[in-house]
Amino acid sequence: MSQKLTTQALTEMLAKEAGINKRAADTFVKAFIQTVIEGGIKDGNVKIKGLGTFKVTQVADRESADVNTGKRIVIAGYKKMSFSTDINMDEAYESVDDTDIKENKKEEANADKPKSKTKATKTTKEKQEPAKTSENQDNNSVISENEKEIQNEITEQIPVAPVVTFSTKEEVTSAEPELPKTEVVNDSPIQNLISRPKENEDVDKAISDNNDNTDNNDNTDNTATEETNEELTQVEETPVTEPVAEVIPSKPQPTEIENKSTEVETESAKVETESAMVETETAKVENKSTEVETETAKVETETESTKTEIQPTKVEIESTKATDSSEPTSPTSTATSSIQSTKKIWIWGAVAVACVIICAIIILATGNSSSENKDIQATTEVSQNETPKDTVVTNENKPEDDKVSKPKVHILQKGESLTTISVMYYHTKDSMGAIWKLNKFKNPNDIPLGTEIKLP
Amino acid sequence: MTHKQFINELAKNAGMTTSETTDLMNSFIKTLVDSAQNEKTIMLQGFGSFEKKTKAERKMYNPSTKEYRIIPGSNTLAFKPSTLLKDKLNQDAK
């Protein structure tokens, strides 16, 4: 390009490199040329390791038109020598420049991607990007400016991100519990009805065992705040004043407990406290009771886990309430357990709290007392809060699936060819062959109009 | 013609042993590639010219996966046969 090396210069360089005199180098180069040409004529190709392959190919005769006269002329065929190299010259020297180019392109690609996609995916990808870019920064100082710009963009966008990340969490949390939720809600009335007597028997057995733990918990209760004590007094007073639930004679206490909780706390916190109580006691039950309970306990824990997982997705204020309320309730449950009578009530009630929620739904159908309707409203509200989120998530997932499935059939119009279709759908002529293969046209130049062409 | 055959033939033409020829051939390739790397065109009279050629990067579309892929550019060694070589080839053919 810039400089030209003649045969003489090359022989001089070769003589230096190999440590021989110029004459020997000259003869060698001439012999090299001679053998390549002879080999090419003789065999058609000459393979040289480390350099490449010389090939002699025949160019066929071709017709052309004389520019002046317009007559047809036959240009005679001839032989030519082509060369394909084995050497990848990038490996030895050009590695630094090429990596710069590649990384710039990667960054461009990364910067372009999130714009087209949803917010949720945006944030996740943008989080990944800074890590990548920071790694690249160490390697190359050339790209650092571009990366800084990108990072600045990312940092500007990050404050918006936490709002969006909730949606991702919702997707993750709600997507998992969807199945257990529906199953449990449907199945739990039956399972709980069956499991009640078993659990009660086991619980009575377990009470003696629980005493040790509850004593230990009582020590922690002493450190509990005054609010919990106030709650306890309210809890103790309320069962006397309020009537026992009429619907289920076997379980008066659980309904009472719910009423207590309604007085003590807000509606949103209600369900959360119930779940927390059930969590603590199911944990005990799981620890001490035998194999029979484990299945029901697991089902209950699944319901609780789903509830607790969904709650953080609510407004932050509610979540803070939930944390505040859930903390005092656990000591209350243990505090009441110090007295054996109340203990039985608590264990009984807490085991049946999940049942009561379902019973409340049944009561809603029958339409009984007003105080229970409040609870039902709370539960229904919770269920309503759960359901729209699920629908939102499903809606978010569906359009993505629709995007993936493109229209796969094209009806051939007049003036169209496989090439134009290829350009239309894939913006390149190259996939014309793929369309041809897929449809198995015998002659791609003669396709009847209106034929449905499958697209790969 | 394989590499082995070529070396044997070259040794005959140059009047050297095969081992000497292989060593010299390696150093010859090295000088050729090195000088081509340094933006130099190697003109071998009666044969052709070797030159470093930059292949531009290009976009490729894979219809089965529906993805665009950037194939990065690369540098290769290109050979352009001289008119003398062409004449020689066609002379012998006739």
Side-chain angles (χ1 to χ4, degrees), chain A residues 1-3 5 7 32 35 37 41 43 45 47 49 79 81 83 87 89-90 93-94 105 426, chain B residues 1 3 13 25 33-34 37 39-41 43 45 52 57 61 68 74-75 79 81 85 90 92:
Chain A
M1 297 183 208
S2 61
Q3 274 187 311
L5 273 181
T7 318
F32 168 78
T35 41
I37 292 167
I41 291 161
D43 294 341
N45 65 346
K47 282 183 185 172
K49 259 183 206 168
K79 283 184 177 176
M81 184 170 268
F83 173 70
I87 302 160
M89 295 177 90
D90 300 330
Y93 296 92
E94 296 293 315
K105 259 149 215 168
Y426 307 115
Chain B
M1 189 182 260
H3 183 70
N13 286 336
M25 191 66 215
V33 173
D34 279 357
Q37 196 75 58
E39 307 291 324
K40 283 174 184 171
T41 310
M43 315 266 284
Q45 219 172 9
K52 188 176 93 170
E57 61 156 27
Y61 181 75
Y68 281 104
S74 60
N75 292 321
F79 171 70
L85 176 65
N90 289 306
D92 292 336

Side-chain angles (χ1 to χ4, degrees), chain A residues 18-41:
Chain A
I20 52 173
N21 56 12
K22 283 180 195 172
R23 193 174 288 174
D26 189 53
T27 52
F28 174 79
V29 171
K30 278 178 181 168
F32 168 78
I33 292 164
Q34 195 192 335
T35 41
V36 169
I37 292 167
E38 281 178 1
I41 291 161

Side-chain angles (χ1 to χ4, degrees), chain A residues 135-195:
Chain A
E135 287 177 358
N136 289 328
Q137 263 190 340
D138 298 331
N139 292 327
N140 295 311
S141 61
V142 181
I143 315 154
S144 60
E145 293 178 357
N146 293 325
E147 287 172 341
K148 280 174 185 174
E149 289 176 2
I150 293 161
Q151 280 188 341
N152 288 325
E153 289 176 2
I154 292 158
T155 49
E156 285 173 4
Q157 288 171 353
I158 279 168
V160 188
V163 181
V164 187
T165 49
F166 276 102
S167 63
T168 56
K169 282 178 183 173
E170 283 177 4
E171 285 180 352
V172 174
T173 54
S174 58
E176 289 174 354
E178 271 179 357
L179 293 171
K181 249 188 247 166
T182 53
E183 289 174 357
V184 167
V185 169
N186 293 325
D187 297 335
S188 53
I190 302 158
Q191 286 185 350
N192 286 323
L193 286 170
I194 297 160
S195 63

Side-chain angles (χ1 to χ4, degrees), chain A residues 184-456:
Chain A
V184 167
V185 169
N186 293 325
D187 297 335
S188 53
I190 302 158
Q191 286 185 350
N192 286 323
L193 286 170
I194 297 160
S195 63
R196 269 175 205 160
K198 291 177 184 176
E199 286 181 355
N200 290 328
E201 287 174 1
D202 292 325
V203 165
D204 291 328
K205 290 174 184 175
I207 286 164
S208 60
D209 297 329
N210 284 328
N211 287 329
D212 298 330
N213 289 324
T214 49
D215 291 333
N216 292 324
N217 289 324
D218 289 337
N219 294 324
T220 58
D221 291 335
N222 291 327
T223 60
T225 57
E226 292 179 357
E227 291 177 356
T228 55
N229 291 325
E230 288 175 359
E231 286 176 358
L232 287 172
T233 53
Q234 285 179 353
V235 166
E236 288 175 356
E237 286 172 3
T238 46
V240 182
T241 57
E242 289 183 355
V244 175
E246 296 90 356
V247 181
I248 302 155
S250 63
K251 273 102 192 177
Q253 289 93 356
T255 54
E256 288 178 0
I257 292 156
E258 277 201 342
N259 291 325
K260 297 164 200 169
S261 62
T262 53
E263 289 179 358
V264 173
E265 290 154 1
T266 59
E267 289 181 350
S268 62
K270 232 188 288 168
V271 182
E272 291 160 2
T273 53
E274 288 171 4
S275 62
M277 285 153 58
V278 176
E279 277 187 344
T280 54
E281 281 158 13
T282 47
K284 289 176 184 175
V285 171
E286 280 184 347
N287 288 326
K288 276 117 193 184
S289 62
T290 55
E291 296 172 357
V292 183
E293 288 177 353
T294 54
E295 293 178 355
T296 56
K298 281 176 184 174
V299 173
E300 287 177 356
T301 50
E302 283 179 356
T303 56
E304 290 145 20
S305 63
T306 52
K307 285 175 186 173
T308 51
E309 282 177 356
I310 293 155
Q311 282 158 6
T313 59
K314 292 177 186 175
V315 186
E316 290 182 355
I317 301 157
E318 284 187 1
S319 64
T320 51
K321 279 181 182 176
T323 52
D324 294 332
S325 59
S326 61
E327 287 173 355
T329 48
S330 56
T332 53
S333 62
T334 53
T336 48
S337 63
S338 61
I339 305 158
Q340 287 184 350
S341 60
T342 52
K343 205 187 291 172
K344 284 181 182 177
I345 292 164
W346 271 105
I347 294 158
W348 257 53
V351 167
V353 159
C355 311
V356 169
I357 295 162
I358 297 143
C359 294
I361 297 162
I362 298 159
I363 292 155
L364 186 130
T366 55
N368 282 332
S369 64
S370 62
S371 62
E372 287 170 352
N373 283 328
K374 288 178 184 177
D375 298 332
I376 294 149
Q377 285 174 358
T379 53
T380 49
E381 281 176 359
V382 170
S383 62
Q384 283 173 357
N385 287 328
E386 291 170 359
T387 48
K389 283 168 189 171
D390 295 341
T391 53
V392 166
V393 168
T394 50
N395 286 328
E396 284 177 356
N397 288 331
K398 279 175 183 175
E400 289 178 355
D401 295 331
D402 292 333
K403 282 175 188 174
V404 171
S405 61
K406 282 181 181 176
K408 286 191 173 178
V409 172
H410 177 80
I411 296 165
L412 189 73
Q413 304 292 322
K414 198 177 180 183
E416 284 182 340
S417 67
L418 291 184
T419 315
T420 57
I421 291 162
S422 167
V423 170
M424 195 191 300
Y425 285 94
Y426 307 115
H427 308 289
T428 175
K429 290 178 185 174
D430 299 339
S431 50
M432 171 261 198
I435 298 168
W436 186 5
K437 267 189 184 174
L438 186 74
N439 290 278
K440 294 173 183 173
F441 293 127
K442 281 183 180 176
N443 184 5
N445 297 321
D446 184 22
I447 303 164
L449 291 178
T451 48
E452 289 185 349
I453 294 164
K454 296 172 203 165
L455 297 172

